[in-house]
Amino acid sequence: MSLEQQTQPIAVALIGNPNTGKSTLFNALSGVRQRTGNYPGVTVEKKHGTFRIGEKSIELIDLPGSYSLAPRSPDEMVAVDVLLGRLPAERKPQAVLVILDAGNLERNLYILSQVLELRLPTLVALNMVDVAADKGVTVDAPLLAQRLGVPVIETRANHGAGVQQLREALANIENVPPPESVSPFPPQFREEIAGLQGQLVARDVSAPRYLVERLLLDTSGYLEKELKLGGDDFHQLIQEARGRLKESGAPVPAVEAMSRYGWVRETLDGVIERKPVAPPVSDRIDRVMTHPVSGTIIFAILMLTVFMTVFSDYVAGIPMGWIEGLFETLGGIVGDNMAEGPFRSLIVDGVIAGVGGVLVFLPQICILFFFIAILEDCGYMARAAYLMDRLFSNIGLSGKSFIPLLSSFACAIPGVMATRVIENRRDRLATMLIAPLMSCSARIPVYVVMIAAFVPNIKFAGGLINARGLTFAGMYLVGIVAAVMVAFILKKTLLRGATPPFVMELPSYKWPSLSTVGLRVAEKGWSFVRRAGTLIFASSVLVWAAAYYPHNTEIVAPWTSRLAEVETELETATSAKDEDRIAALEAEQSDLEHHISGALLRDSYLGRAGQWIEPVVRPLGWDWRIGCATLASFPAREVIIGTLGVIYDLGGDEDEESIPLREKLQAATWDGTDIPVFNLPVALSVMVFFALCAQCAATLAVIKRETNTWRWPIFTFVYMTLLAYVGAFAIYRIAAFFTTTPIVSV
């Protein structure tokens, strides 16, 4: 063995069916020494972990949970490519750790039979033996190891039982010989594989036997198109082989299931002992949890709890307030200790404000994934998907899309990240692309300002219902209806394909592992900060630059001159302790500063851009000031409130509760006229635009991270912006017609 081989960690791939405790075991083995990313060109996440035992270092490669190594898409191909060493950026594993659920061996051994054919040193973790025992199932682990020809170690990953023994076995995995190559397929199938391999050798093409088997078994044609082995005439040879197998009673692809499950039955003969027990607790609980009525009520209560907690001022709101306050304080300290100029503005308004704008989302993301991790680990998430499947199947999605979409009402960022629970690539993409249409918390300031200022407070039903509340609810409905329509269109066009049958195992209920939950929350939080944070920070700096430059101080000379006088008078009044004079001068100082910042913004590149686009936004009822504030809000929607405050000389500290801002908006007129800028149709137009537009750089960054390409975030931005424009135009014209408001033509 070379020195390099001696110093490199032993690479071990982890594979197993979903709900076998694979993630829990991975976390138990590697602890916090983990790193995540995406495989190039696919949405599948790769996760690596390491641990040391004695002088040896083990690197764990956590492969996606799967029921079979039969790839039909790029995402499903990842596990096969990793195991065969076909990914340039990934080391070929020196061994494989297969995780089996002791209570479901009949199904779990299917994928193990495929792994054994790869002839890599293999270790089996027989997990959840305690859950199996509760079901009356006892497994003879030594006999199973003898039948399989590989070591078998019993574990209870959520309690840490057997983990140390597994570590020791992995440290000695190099001494475990590869399993004997015993194919479960009938002789005629093996002969056809040998013939196809001979044809490839004649063409100077080298391919592992396993891939040749998959080529013959894959009737979808995906692998032939992906691998391009043997030239154009090789397809005909595969078709002829399938025809001969059909005639011999071993039709493709049914021959695989028949052969492998036949092998499973032989292997488990005498290995499993079943004792009659009372119906499992999980079954009794599921009579309530999956019932169409009681299950839906419980589901609604749980989801409302999750949603309200993520959205709560008393839970997520408190740490979010701390983060906002911390960065405001930091900005104030830095600003007070730096000389006036572009560098101070960059640091305070660009860098510090940009970082704060990223980290303020972190509490919501951590809280959401805390709940998701608990619901997944205890076994409830599968029940939630089951309950929602009937509803979502009508628009071409599965029940698993519900949790990500519900999460997006608080923030689309964790909603997009939560789509990882959806295995089907098309469903996952469709859910990801409509998640930003859910009205997130960042849109609420816009709704509050516009509704409070321009929607009449008309009440119905004895005051129980009012027009403002209906308008607020209507904005949420706009996003939901648009999401349904877009999902339906996507599944009929770009993501066309039959909705896969909803097949999901309902795992046994169990207490969640606090270490697994904690690691998952930490992983998702850090992943957001590291990946999405960089882009939203960069976009914040770019918006700062557009709003700061060219910074022509000559246009504000009268105000700056008076400001200098006020500051001198303020020092005199302070020395004289003239409280009334101090208050008046401070108010004038603040007013002058607001006039200066407003004038500079109107003259900035951002302000000029708002004036350039006025012909484009005028059909929506907007003037250049609304256009300018909207441009500034593309990195993050809530920026519009502060930008409007600056534009209307109130400063950038205004929020949705600001009475002066509402009064300024109500009094605003089109330049050179006495025609009001804002009215009910314009307010509705602004709200609909913000309800449908993709104004969140962090969300687009996360979509890029999850899809590993810029194609989908660009598509999301374009389609949502066009949809928002059309929606705002339509609501403005309709509202103007019904309220007899003149259409703006200035």
Side-chain angles (χ1 to χ4, degrees):
M1 185 180 292
S2 69
L3 180 62
E4 182 183 0
Q5 288 173 317
Q6 289 176 330
T7 56
Q8 271 196 327
I10 301 170
V12 179
L14 272 68
I15 194 163
N17 290 178
N19 301 312
T20 56
K22 181 169 66 69
S23 296
T24 303
L25 190 57
F26 174 81
N27 291 330
L29 288 169
S30 61
V32 297
R33 294 174 292 278
Q34 301 179 15
R35 64 184 189 276
T36 60
N38 273 60
Y39 288 101
V42 295
T43 62
V44 172
E45 184 183 61
K46 62 177 177 180
K47 186 183 293 185
H48 288 231
T50 58
F51 70 89
R52 293 192 65 85
I53 180 164
E55 297 298 318
K56 293 186 178 179
S57 177
I58 313 296
E59 180 181 12
L60 303 175
I61 306 168
D62 188 17
L63 296 177
S66 178
Y67 292 104
S68 170
L69 290 179
R72 294 175 299 274
S73 71
D75 286 2
E76 294 175 342
M77 190 70 191
V78 163
V80 175
D81 281 340
V82 170
L83 290 171
L84 293 176
R86 287 168 40 84
L87 290 183
E90 189 74 71
R91 290 176 61 198
K92 180 180 179 180
Q94 294 157 266
V96 184
L97 173 59
V98 181
I99 295 87
L100 305 179
D101 176 0
N104 291 293
L105 286 180
E106 292 87 349
R107 185 186 63 250
N108 284 196
L109 285 187
Y110 188 97
I111 195 171
L112 176 60
S113 72
Q114 295 173 322
V115 171
L116 293 176
E117 288 189 59
L118 301 175
R119 301 218 63 217
L120 288 169
T122 302
L123 183 65
V124 169
L126 189 63
N127 198 29
M128 299 196 288
V129 290
D130 52 337
V131 177
D134 291 340
K135 297 177 180 178
V137 176
T138 304
V139 180
D140 187 339
L143 180 57
L144 179 61
Q146 180 184 335
R147 295 273 178 85
L148 296 174
V150 299
V152 175
I153 295 174
E154 296 184 76
T155 61
R156 289 183 294 154
N158 58 330
H159 296 293
V163 172
Q164 184 58 30
Q165 186 182 357
L166 195 58
R167 284 197 182 103
E168 294 170 359
L170 287 170
N172 295 313
I173 194 70
E174 292 172 308
N175 300 322
V176 175
E180 294 184 14
S181 180
V182 179
S183 174
F185 290 100
Q188 58 268 42
F189 183 88
R190 297 199 295 266
E191 290 171 6
E192 294 294 348
I193 294 298
L196 290 173
Q197 279 193 300
Q199 292 289 341
L200 289 174
V201 170
R203 291 167 168 77
D204 291 326
V205 176
S206 176
R209 179 185 176 85
Y210 187 79
L211 278 187
V212 180
E213 281 187 3
R214 298 266 44 104
L215 278 170
L216 183 56
L217 291 165
D218 179 28
T219 56
S220 70
Y222 165 74
L223 272 180
E224 284 190 61
K225 182 179 178 182
E226 176 72 13
L227 301 177
K228 299 182 177 68
L229 296 178
D232 295 337
D233 64 329
F234 195 65
H235 171 75
Q236 184 61 35
L237 295 177
I238 291 175
Q239 292 292 91
E240 292 172 0
R242 289 172 183 164
R244 288 190 294 270
L245 287 172
K246 184 177 181 180
E247 292 174 3
S248 67
V252 172
V255 64
E256 180 169 31
M258 293 187 295
S259 302
R260 295 198 187 280
Y261 281 118
W263 174 85
V264 169
R265 285 191 297 272
E266 291 179 12
T267 302
L268 294 180
D269 184 27
V271 169
I272 298 177
E273 180 184 351
R274 300 182 187 275
K275 296 178 181 178
V277 294
V281 175
S282 291
D283 290 354
R284 297 198 293 271
I285 296 175
D286 278 339
R287 289 172 191 162
V288 177
M289 303 298 278
T290 61
H291 188 275
V293 178
S294 62
T296 302
I297 293 172
I298 293 170
F299 173 77
I301 293 172
L302 281 172
M303 292 304 102
L304 183 63
T305 302
V306 172
F307 177 55
M308 295 303 293
T309 304
V310 171
F311 192 51
S312 169
D313 290 336
Y314 302 102
V315 183
I318 291 175
M320 289 175 77
W322 292 341
I323 293 172
E324 286 181 335
L326 173 65
F327 280 91
E328 285 176 5
T329 302
L330 180 62
I333 293 172
V334 173
D336 291 341
N337 289 277
M338 292 183 69
E340 179 71 37
F343 185 65
R344 186 182 80 166
S345 181
L346 169 63
I347 298 300
V348 175
D349 301 325
V351 175
I352 295 177
V355 172
V358 173
L359 294 185
V360 74
F361 293 111
L362 191 58
Q364 286 184 322
I365 289 171
C366 290
I367 290 170
L368 174 67
F369 278 101
F370 172 76
F371 280 111
I372 288 180
I374 287 179
L375 293 176
E376 283 182 340
D377 212 36
C378 75
Y380 180 76
M381 196 66 82
R383 276 82 181 175
Y386 168 76
L387 285 167
M388 288 294 103
D389 182 65
R390 181 173 298 178
L391 174 64
F392 277 74
S393 62
N394 292 326
I395 58 172
L397 299 177
S398 76
K400 293 184 180 181
S401 299
F402 181 78
I403 299 296
L405 293 179
L406 180 69
S407 306
S408 299
F409 280 110
C411 179
I413 297 165
V416 170
M417 294 169 71
T419 59
R420 292 179 182 178
V421 302
I422 305 170
E423 290 90 357
N424 182 273
R425 184 173 181 271
R426 287 191 297 266
D427 284 4
R428 185 182 181 205
L429 267 174
T431 306
M432 202 179 295
L433 298 181
I434 65 173
L437 287 169
M438 304 295 107
S439 277
C440 65
S441 57
R443 291 173 166 107
I444 292 177
V446 183
Y447 299 161
V448 170
V449 167
M450 294 298 160
I451 289 173
F454 302 106
V455 176
N457 192 22
I458 301 172
K459 298 181 179 180
F460 312 93
L464 295 176
I465 303 174
N466 62 75
R468 290 179 173 177
L470 289 175
T471 305
F472 192 82
M475 291 303 108
Y476 279 82
L477 187 62
V478 164
I480 294 170
V481 171
V484 170
M485 293 171 57
V486 171
F488 184 80
I489 293 171
L490 285 173
K491 290 308 294 286
K492 296 293 183 183
T493 54
L494 291 179
L495 303 176
R496 183 170 55 251
T499 301
F502 186 71
V503 179
M504 173 179 276
E505 175 191 356
L506 296 183
S508 301
Y509 289 101
K510 60 183 175 67
W511 288 107
S513 165
L514 292 180
S515 61
T516 298
V517 170
L519 283 170
R520 194 168 301 175
V521 171
E523 172 197 331
K524 302 301 182 187
W526 174 241
S527 176
F528 162 70
V529 173
R530 181 166 49 94
R531 300 282 184 157
T534 53
L535 183 57
I536 192 172
F537 164 68
S539 63
S540 298
V541 172
L542 290 176
V543 169
W544 163 82
Y548 185 85
Y549 290 105
H551 205 73
N552 183 4
T553 55
E554 293 182 5
I555 64 173
V556 294
W559 288 308
T560 53
S561 176
R562 175 55 189 159
L563 181 62
E565 295 173 0
V566 169
E567 289 172 346
T568 302
E569 293 175 19
L570 187 57
E571 290 178 3
T572 304
T574 302
S575 301
K577 297 182 180 180
D578 186 345
E579 299 296 335
D580 292 340
R581 182 63 176 160
I582 290 172
L585 287 170
E586 286 180 341
E588 184 179 1
Q589 181 187 39
S590 177
D591 189 51
L592 287 168
E593 288 173 346
H594 292 162
H595 278 294
I596 291 169
S597 59
L600 289 172
L601 177 61
R602 288 189 287 272
D603 185 59
S604 69
Y605 294 128
L606 182 63
R608 296 175 189 179
Q611 296 175 54
W612 293 337
I613 69 166
E614 185 175 87
V616 177
V617 299
R618 186 176 295 174
L620 311 182
W622 302 2
D623 73 341
W624 72 269
R625 286 166 290 194
I626 304 177
C628 175
T630 302
L631 285 177
S633 67
F634 269 93
R637 297 176 181 92
E638 58 271 29
V639 172
I640 186 176
I641 303 300
T643 306
L644 285 172
V646 173
I647 289 174
Y648 285 103
D649 297 335
L650 294 173
D653 297 328
E654 300 302 305
D655 59 25
E656 64 269 24
E657 302 297 332
S658 170
I659 301 299
L661 179 59
R662 295 178 193 174
E663 292 174 348
K664 282 282 189 178
L665 297 180
Q666 290 167 339
T669 59
W670 285 80
D671 290 342
T673 75
D674 57 357
I675 302 173
V677 171
F678 289 93
N679 48 44
L680 178 58
V682 171
L684 291 174
S685 173
V686 171
M687 286 190 286
V688 168
F689 187 90
F690 274 75
L692 300 177
C693 194
Q695 296 160 291
C696 183
T699 297
L700 297 174
V702 170
I703 292 176
K704 190 271 175 186
R705 177 183 182 274
E706 294 299 306
T707 60
N708 226 24
T709 174
W710 279 109
R711 173 190 175 191
W712 293 113
I714 291 172
F715 172 79
T716 303
F717 178 82
V718 171
Y719 101 74
M720 288 185 65
T721 303
L722 292 175
L723 182 64
Y725 188 91
V726 172
F729 176 84
I731 194 67
Y732 173 64
R733 300 288 164 149
I734 293 170
F737 175 80
F738 282 103
T739 59
T740 64
T741 303
I743 298 293
V744 111
S745 59
V746 295

